[in-house]
Structures are given as C-alpha cells and as structure tokens.
Amino acid sequence: MVQKKSDNPNMQRLPVAQTAAASAFPMLPSLGVGTLDSYIAYVNRVPMLSAAEELHLAQEFRRTENVDAARTLVLSHLRLVVSVARQYLGYGIPHADLIQEGNIGLMKAVKRYDPNNGARLVSYAIHWIKAEIHEYILKNWRLVKMATTKAQRKLFFNLRSNKPTLSALTPSEVAALAKALDVKGSDVKEMEMRLAGGDVALEGEDTDEDAAYAPIQWLADNTQEPTQRIASNEADALQGPKLDQALMALDERSRNIVQSRWLAMDADGNGTKTLHDLANEYSISAERVRQIETAALKKMRGMLQAQAA
C-alpha cells in the first residue's frame, strides 16, 4: 500500500533527489521551495538546454564525471519528469511521490547517457523515468504485487485505458485487446479480475460486529492453539488408557452397567440398555441400577481427576 502522507497537502515531501539512488549526484542541492505547486513552477523556470549545450555537458560528465555538469543536465529535464508523472495520477498515488521516483530515473539516465549515440537525452531519459515510476506503482498500489511478468506489466498499465467501456470485457473485446497488446486472452481476463478486486484487511476493524467476519477469523485454526492442543491431548488420554484403568477398578456388575449405559451406543447415540433392561438382567429394581450407576460414575470421576492432577 502507499505510505500515508500528511493530511496537509502543503506538507507533502518534495520530489527532490535526496534518496540513496541519488548518490551519483551528491552535490545536487535541495530545492527548498515549499509546496508541490511551487516546485513545479520552479522547474518550469529552469532554462532548457540547446542541443550543443547538452552535448557539451554530457561529454564533460562522461569524460571527467563533473557533478556540476550532471546537475545542470538533471535540472534542465525536471519539467519532463513532472509531465510524465502526471500521466500516472489515476493510480491513487500522490503526484509528489511519482515525481520523486521519476527524478531518480532521470538521474540514472544521466549517469548512463552516451551522447555519442546521436540521441537527445530527453529520448533516452523518458524510458528510465517511466521504468522507475512503473516499479514504484507496482510496489505500492496494492499489498499484493499485481504484475511480475512482462505481459502482466504491459496489461497493468494499458488494460484500463484500452477498455472500450467500464463494464466487464466481452469475449470479442478480450480477443481484440489481447491482439492489440500481443498477450494471451487468458492473461487479459486474469488481469481484469485482479484489477477489479480490492485489498481486504486481514484482521478488520475493532468497531463493529463486522470484525468477527474478517479473513483472520476464517483462517484461524483453534485446534492448533496451544491450550486447545493440551486440552485435546488430556481428553484423549482420559478416554483411552486412563478410562480403561478406571473401569477396571470397578466390580464386574458396576462395570457392565456403566459400559451398557454410557460406552456402548446404538445408532441413535443412546446407550444400548435402559435401566429397566439392566434391572431385569440382574433381578433388581431400576432404582437400584441407577444407584449402582451413580456410585460407579462417581468413583471413576474421582480416579480420573486424581490421574489428571
């Protein structure tokens, strides 16, 4: 996501070369001109270089690494960066940030520019300026990086401007757009879906009940939470060897009553025998069976608690 800036537009950081990438021009001064509008007005007043002046400065910098020559070349092309950055305002990133990244691209271009190739610096620099702005947008537009391959990058910066309408693309429009951009139709449909979706907060906000439906709730696995694991392990132990030990401590009649009433279940989840069934089996009253059952369960509960402690 784009880093949050000050709510006051006059306090936006100015797009001047004060980053690590600007180390190639350590003497480039800070333009302390206040607001972004003042900065743009300033760079528009910087004189343009003639072809002869540009060639002389570029050759001097390439031959002697004269930083003053490089600074003059950079300053004379700052208005180009402002113009290019303005083309990317639709991505929701502050203009000042786009200009700052474009300035870094401009300085890289000046450092690598070879005047002997016959091309003007403006033609060479525009590719470096766009490359830096593209990279910054891709890194900051969404939490999840949108485009990593060459085809995806091409689609990211051209899909919306080439869509005939705001509606979803029809199959014929997908085919036409894929042909125009020289990409696969499947890539066009995938990028359209990714651009249409937005970022969702993982944990949500702690204001309404909506927080209960945040993705973090869907992803949570309580069975792996430490206290849940401990409780689960203790339950398994109580229902396994420890339960068998408690049963074996009962007399045969009490053990049979407990097993018939609580451990042997039918298809409906009930005990296989009722109090009256067991009363008939042992020739005693149903109340007596209940008393034996209660005493047996109390004894087992005490043994299991002692084992757990």
Side-chain angles (χ1 to χ4, degrees), residues 13 16 69 105 184 251 281 299:
R13 54 180 180 154
V16 295
K184 298 179 181 178
D251 60 80
E281 181 178 342
K299 182 177 181 180

Side-chain angles (χ1 to χ4, degrees), residues 1 12 58 61 75 142 207 264 275:
M1 298 291 287
Q12 293 185 23
F61 175 65
L75 290 175
R142 290 277 178 83
T207 54
L275 291 175

Side-chain angles (χ1 to χ4, degrees), residues 12-44:
Q12 293 185 23
R13 54 180 180 154
L14 295 177
V16 295
Q18 296 191 14
T19 67
S23 59
F25 309 106
M27 295 181 64
L28 188 62
S30 171
L31 307 181
V33 292
T35 67
L36 177 61
D37 290 338
S38 299
Y39 169 80
I40 294 175
Y42 175 88
V43 300
N44 286 333

Side-chain angles (χ1 to χ4, degrees), residues 43-237:
V43 300
N44 286 333
R45 292 196 302 269
V46 176
M48 299 284 289
L49 296 176
S50 65
E53 291 173 331
E54 179 182 297
L55 178 62
H56 171 72
L57 290 170
Q59 288 176 338
E60 181 178 353
F61 175 65
R62 191 172 182 85
R63 183 176 63 255
T64 66
E65 295 189 356
N66 185 329
V67 177
D68 288 334
R71 178 177 57 188
T72 303
L73 289 171
V74 170
L75 290 175
S76 65
H77 288 80
L78 289 178
R79 68 181 67 193
L80 171 65
V81 177
V82 173
S83 176
V84 173
R86 190 176 291 117
Q87 302 171 18
Y88 297 93
L89 291 178
Y91 293 96
I93 297 178
H95 195 191
D97 289 357
L98 296 174
I99 293 175
Q100 179 164 279
E101 297 304 314
N103 285 349
I104 294 173
L106 172 61
M107 289 185 289
K108 289 181 177 180
V110 170
K111 184 178 181 180
R112 294 166 173 79
Y113 176 58
D114 185 357
N116 298 321
N117 287 335
R120 290 292 300 269
L121 176 58
V122 62
S123 301
Y124 180 76
I126 194 168
H127 299 287
W128 283 92
I129 294 169
K130 287 185 176 181
E132 288 296 321
I133 293 177
H134 285 186
E135 189 67 24
Y136 184 77
I137 292 174
L138 289 174
K139 287 181 178 179
N140 294 275
W141 194 61
R142 290 277 178 83
L143 286 172
V144 178
K145 196 168 185 180
M146 293 293 297
T148 54
T149 66
K150 183 178 180 180
Q152 289 174 342
R153 287 171 177 261
K154 185 187 299 185
L155 281 169
F156 180 86
F157 290 105
N158 292 279
L159 181 58
R160 290 191 299 180
S161 60
N162 283 276
K163 284 182 65 174
T165 66
L166 295 177
S167 304
L169 293 172
T170 63
S172 59
E173 291 171 343
V174 169
L177 198 54
K179 183 178 180 180
L181 297 177
D182 192 25
V183 296
K184 298 179 181 178
S186 58
D187 292 336
V188 175
K189 291 188 287 187
E190 179 185 1
M191 183 57 68
E192 182 187 24
M193 290 188 294
R194 297 179 70 180
L195 289 174
D199 291 327
V200 178
L202 181 62
E203 296 184 350
E205 299 180 0
D206 296 331
T207 54
D208 300 333
E209 294 181 358
D210 293 342
Y213 300 98
I216 191 65
Q217 302 296 329
W218 308 338
L219 299 175
D221 183 4
N222 293 329
T223 60
Q224 301 303 316
E225 199 269 331
T227 57
Q228 293 288 339
R229 291 290 300 274
I230 293 173
S232 177
N233 292 339
E234 290 180 349
D236 291 342

